[in-house]
Amino acid sequence: MFAAARDSGLQLSRGEYAVVTDRQTGLVQYRITLPVRGAYTQVRAFVAAALKAVPALALDELTFERRSISETQVEARIRLTLYLRPAS
């Protein structure tokens, strides 16, 4: 994901991470929330590259906010979940 961000021209400086285990399926969900700032096309390119690179990654939420109409940069909030099987 860091390579996808770098290739898209974005910097992942911080994020929120949580691990949840689904008791019914046994799958481990690694929930990732990333706030990023950049051009709309950079954010979309990052999300597409990350999803392509990591097949077990799912996009849960993608929100954009622009402070003013003349801004060329957007504030984006990307929420992803990485699904993993626990080690045996």
Side-chain angles (χ1 to χ4, degrees):
M1 285 188 15
F2 287 101
R6 183 190 63 239
D7 293 346
S8 300
L10 296 176
Q11 184 177 8
L12 302 179
S13 57
R14 64 186 174 101
E16 297 173 20
Y17 306 92
V19 177
V20 177
T21 302
D22 186 319
R23 293 180 189 199
Q24 291 180 338
T25 64
L27 289 176
V28 176
Q29 299 175 17
Y30 192 66
R31 296 181 183 166
I32 306 161
T33 303
L34 302 169
V36 296
R37 182 170 171 76
Y40 173 82
T41 54
Q42 290 175 304
V43 176
R44 291 291 306 264
F46 162 66
V47 170
L51 292 173
K52 184 177 180 181
V54 185
L57 190 64
L59 176 63
D60 297 323
E61 180 183 343
L62 177 57
T63 59
F64 294 97
E65 184 178 329
R66 187 177 297 187
R67 293 184 183 171
S68 72
I69 195 78
S70 62
E71 282 276 331
T72 58
Q73 304 270 307
V74 294
E75 304 272 343
R77 180 175 182 258
I78 305 165
R79 202 175 82 214
L80 304 157
T81 301
L82 178 60
Y83 292 91
L84 304 168
R85 282 205 171 137
S88 307

